[in-house]
Amino acid sequence: KRVAILISGGGSNMVRLVEAMQAEGFAEPVLVASNDAQAGGLLKAAAMGVPTAAIDHRPFGRDRAAFEAELLKPILASKPDILCLAGFMRVLTPEFVEHFAGRMLNIHPSLLPKYPGLHTHQRAIEAGDTEAGCTVHEVTPVLDDGPILGQTRVPVIAGDTAETLAARVLVQEHKLYPAVLKRYVAGDRSLLEL
Ligand code: GRF
């Protein structure tokens, strides 16, 4: 299976996905693409020998469809079987998502369905939650809403800030996403709780 990965920043989740695929051979990373040419993850992907592409979303303004039409070019050229969003921070149109229906994953830093959207850790702390975590789900046209494939819970500790909680969750993201992708490639859609 050929896997393309979309990032927007440092790409720490992308790195773990690529490392797992290269170490275990369960799939092939064929492209890492970003909406930001300065994304640090692009350098990491290139250093791991993965082809990269960057399509800056800013020149397209509010015309999401035009941006996505450009982004689709390198993605389709890489002929992916599966598309993974990993720290990708642009909302994708239903048309784009439909293109990859049933073969597109995302990792979200909350225990979905709680806290879709942004600032998940701050929201959990402000709500007084004693648990937080991360979720890998199939991407559907509704933001952060698709079938859940994997989840990991972490404790919220008294005195946590959004940063300390994010750091605790990120460690688990790095374990969960590769494990879920490996099962997904094998056709296993059952829930994984790590
Ligand atoms: C992580 O918190 C991830 O949950 C979210 O984006 C953040 C950065 O991810 N989706 P990465 O280091 O770019 O993979």
Side-chain angles (χ1 to χ4, degrees), residues 43-145:
L43 295 173
K44 297 171 190 171
M48 293 189 284
V50 182
T52 62
I55 309 291
D56 189 338
H57 67 275
R58 290 169 300 186
F60 298 94
R62 294 160 42 78
D63 189 345
R64 285 186 194 284
F67 163 63
E68 291 176 359
E70 280 308 303
L71 180 62
L72 265 178
K73 290 175 183 172
I75 294 174
L76 295 181
S78 71
K79 297 182 175 49
D81 298 298
I82 294 170
L83 185 58
C84 289
L85 306 182
F88 187 67
M89 303 308 276
R90 305 300 298 169
V91 172
L92 293 163
T93 64
E95 290 71 28
F96 184 98
V97 172
E98 287 308 322
H99 224 100
F100 296 96
R103 55 197 187 109
M104 187 162 158
L105 301 181
N106 181 44
I107 189 157
H108 180 76
S110 80
L111 295 173
L112 291 174
K114 291 184 81 168
Y115 313 128
L118 297 174
H119 314 300
T120 60
H121 305 303
Q122 193 56 42
R123 291 155 69 189
I125 291 169
E126 286 167 3
D129 292 357
T130 56
E131 271 194 335
C134 52
T135 303
V136 176
H137 63 96
E138 273 199 342
V139 175
T140 57
V142 177
L143 182 70
D144 297 333
D145 184 62

Side-chain angles (χ1 to χ4, degrees), residues 172-187:
Q172 300 307 322
E173 293 177 36
H174 293 164
K175 295 176 189 169
L176 182 66
Y177 212 170
V180 170
L181 178 61
K182 184 174 184 179
R183 290 153 60 100
Y184 194 74
V185 165

Side-chain angles (χ1 to χ4, degrees), residues 151-162:
Q151 236 170 27
T152 302
R153 297 170 180 282
V154 305
V156 179
I157 296 168
D160 260 333
T161 63

